[in-house]
């Protein structure tokens, strides 16, 4: 029997990769979109009519219940969120509405419409923040360092609470940073891959960056969405940490990206203190051993392969724009 999956946040990076994976597995895929005045299908237009799209909003309980009644999903992947950490300091209340209370709304829609629906909640390594131990696993206490991290902690515990209160199959995937050529341009690795490609093609002269000492545990989004799916295929619901188990500095990422196009980063980087976080996280490094043992999850793409993939994709995209005459080299 064909299973139906509903993905909130289908227009985002992870939503698009997850949709591809589920279609390959034979699922009927329904993507939830919020109403915008302009369509925002850049990451999913290649999927065409292989997916169905439906409007609802994390801020609107009625729309969430209605979408479950109408499409009767077997699995719900709650990926929608205000997901950019720096913005969460400027919009802390809205971040709480989307990223914290939005989770309760989705869980309660499942509880009231059909408790047999399996639910995945997109939790984050940002919940560990000022870390209590290194590396971090499923038992590591949380100490978030941004309104985003605080909201994700709420989302995590409300997921655990609904699982325990209502006997629902609801799991929280605590995912460390994952990137791809589809990552938003404001996120550090994509800002670097896009900036490096622009410099290599004569479209820009430099990139302004923040704290290059910061270290992160970075993996490929395509690998991480496979873990989300695996978490919903178990007999018993439980939470998992997903990450590479290794960290790299922002400086290292920058050097790899420039090396890919044969340029010297020293000549093209400007450090801008305004881009430093008001309170940064400590050394976030995952211990994904539970996921490896129980889900059989292994990442296929290394950190170096990921950065090269991102630079190559931005080079190709910008070269196409130059050929079309949409962009003109100036340097
Ligand atoms: P993303 O690219 O920023 O996508 C976020 C999605 O949420 C977009 O589709 C966005 O829709 C949607 N959304 C935001 N507010 C909404 C609302 N009120 N109603 C309905 N949809 C709404 O994020 P991502 O990188 O794919 O991440 C997916 C999830 O994993 C997020 O919850 C994120 O916080 C979490 N996470 C990500 C990482 C990572 O490294 N990528 C790590 C840990 C956890 P629009 O297109 O309309 O804006």
């Amino acid at each position: 029997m064909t299973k139906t999956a509903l993905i909130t946040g289908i227009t985002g990076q992870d939503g698009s990769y997850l949709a591809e994976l589920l279609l390959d597995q034979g699922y009927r895929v329904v993507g939830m979109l919020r109403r915008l005045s302009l369509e925002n299908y850049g990451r999913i237009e290649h999927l065409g009519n292989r997916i169905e799209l439906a409007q609802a909003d994390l801020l609107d309980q009625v729309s969430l219940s209605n979408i479950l009644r109408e499409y009767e999903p077997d699995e719900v992947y709650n990926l929608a969120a205000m997901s950019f950490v720096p913005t969460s300091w400027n919009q802390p209340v809205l971040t709480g509405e989307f990223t914290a209370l939005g989770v309760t709304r989705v869980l309660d829609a499942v509880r009231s419409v059909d408790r047999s629906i399996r639910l995945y909640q997109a939790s984050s390594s940002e919940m560990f923040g000022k870390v209590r131990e290194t590396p971090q696993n499923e038992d590591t206490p949380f100490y978030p360092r941004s309104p985003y991290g605080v909201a994700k902690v709420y989302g995590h515990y409300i997921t655990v609470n609904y699982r325990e209160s209502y006997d629902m199959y609801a799991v929280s995937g605590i995912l460390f940073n994952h990137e791809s050529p589809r990552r938003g341009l404001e996120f550090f690795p994509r800002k670097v891959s896009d900036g490096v490609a622009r410099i290599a093609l004569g479209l820009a002269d430099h990139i302004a960056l923040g704290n290059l000492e910061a270290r992160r545990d970075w993996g490929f989004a395509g690998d991480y969405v496979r873990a989300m799916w695996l978490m919903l295929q178990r007999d018993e619901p439980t939470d998992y940490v997903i990450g590479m188990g290794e960290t790299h500095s922002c400086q290292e990422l920058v050097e790899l990206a420039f090396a890919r196009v044969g340029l010297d980063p020293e000549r093209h980087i400007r450090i801008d203190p305004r881009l430093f976080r008001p309170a940064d996280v400590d050394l976030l490094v995952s211990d994904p051993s539970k996921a490896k043992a129980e889900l059989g999850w292994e990442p296929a793409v290394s950190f170096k392969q990921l950065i090269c993939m991102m630079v190559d994709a931005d080079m190709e995209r910008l070269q196409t724009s130059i050929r079309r005459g949409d962009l003109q080299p100036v340097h």
Side-chain angles (χ1 to χ4, degrees):
M1 240 181 55
T2 305
K3 278 193 192 174
T4 299
L6 173 74
I7 304 175
T8 77
I10 186 115
T11 54
Q13 169 189 258
D14 291 5
S16 66
Y17 282 105
L18 180 64
E20 285 170 12
L21 176 106
L22 295 173
L23 287 170
D24 287 348
Q25 305 275 2
Y27 278 69
R28 170 191 180 216
V29 175
V30 181
M32 186 186 107
L33 303 163
R34 56 178 162 172
R35 194 258 159 196
L36 296 172
S37 62
L38 267 182
E39 285 178 353
N40 177 20
Y41 299 164
R43 295 185 177 103
I44 51 170
E45 61 192 1
H46 65 289
L47 299 174
N49 59 11
R50 297 175 69 208
I51 56 173
E52 295 164 56
L53 297 174
Q55 266 187 19
D57 199 299
L58 286 183
L59 300 185
D60 189 278
Q61 185 74 49
V62 174
S63 69
L64 294 169
S65 298
N66 284 345
I67 204 173
L68 295 183
R69 279 197 202 95
E70 185 172 349
Y71 292 93
E72 299 182 340
D74 301 281
E75 297 172 6
V76 171
Y77 295 85
N78 184 36
L79 309 184
M82 200 307 288
S83 70
F84 188 48
V85 174
T87 299
S88 75
W89 274 284
N90 299 331
Q91 300 178 3
V93 177
L94 190 63
T95 300
E97 286 288 351
F98 284 177
T99 306
L101 288 177
V103 185
T104 310
R105 293 189 192 97
V106 174
L107 282 161
D108 210 68
V110 169
R111 182 196 63 78
S112 60
V113 173
D114 178 1
R115 284 186 205 182
S116 73
I117 296 171
R118 294 187 168 206
L119 183 129
Y120 171 85
Q121 165 57 18
S123 292
S124 165
S125 57
E126 291 284 332
M127 301 190 304
F128 296 123
K130 191 169 179 177
V131 299
R132 306 287 89 190
E133 63 180 2
T134 302
Q136 295 90 44
N137 63 31
E138 293 77 8
D139 299 320
T140 304
F142 301 131
Y143 193 142
R145 293 269 280 171
S146 62
Y148 169 83
V150 173
K152 283 288 182 187
V153 170
Y154 175 94
H156 171 84
Y157 279 125
I158 199 69
T159 302
V160 173
N161 183 259
Y162 266 61
R163 175 169 78 219
E164 294 174 354
S165 303
Y166 303 113
D167 197 23
M168 285 166 48
Y169 193 114
V171 305
S172 162
I174 306 172
L175 271 54
F176 281 63
N177 291 47
H178 44 279
E179 315 294 322
S180 75
R182 296 182 202 163
R183 186 67 141 150
L185 282 165
E186 70 274 40
F187 290 88
F188 182 84
R190 184 72 202 291
K191 184 175 180 182
V192 172
S193 67
D194 175 74
V196 163
R198 282 178 190 275
I199 293 166
L201 295 171
L203 297 167
D205 172 54
H206 72 278
I207 324 174
L209 297 173
N211 176 15
L212 296 189
E213 305 291 313
R215 301 185 73 87
R216 294 287 185 274
D217 182 331
W218 279 296
F220 172 50
D223 285 333
Y224 287 43
V225 298
R226 202 168 60 251
M228 297 177 188
W229 175 72
L230 287 168
M231 283 182 219
L232 292 197
Q233 312 311 312
R234 304 279 301 163
D235 290 338
E236 293 298 324
T238 177
D239 309 322
Y240 291 95
V241 160
I242 302 294
M244 301 294 279
E246 60 182 43
T247 65
H248 300 271
S249 68
C250 291
Q251 176 76 32
E252 210 178 326
L253 189 152
V254 165
E255 283 169 12
L256 265 177
F258 274 97
R260 186 68 178 168
V261 295
L263 288 174
D264 176 7
E266 295 298 315
R267 297 186 47 213
H268 300 286
I269 294 296
R270 293 196 193 145
I271 300 300
D272 183 345
R274 287 172 302 178
L275 297 175
F276 283 49
R277 287 185 184 190
D280 208 346
V281 295
D282 288 341
L283 184 60
L284 293 180
V285 51
S286 63
D287 171 6
S289 46
K290 181 180 171 193
K292 290 190 176 190
E294 295 183 8
L295 303 175
W297 178 80
E298 286 291 341
V301 176
S302 70
F303 173 68
K304 185 173 177 187
Q305 287 170 329
L306 169 67
I307 303 309
C308 292
M309 176 204 298
M310 291 175 70
V311 173
D312 292 354
D314 277 319
M315 287 291 287
E316 202 181 312
R317 179 179 59 86
L318 292 168
Q319 276 164 338
T320 304
S321 297
I322 291 171
R323 271 197 304 276
R324 284 192 191 137
D326 298 338
L327 288 173
Q328 283 187 339
V330 287
H331 294 281

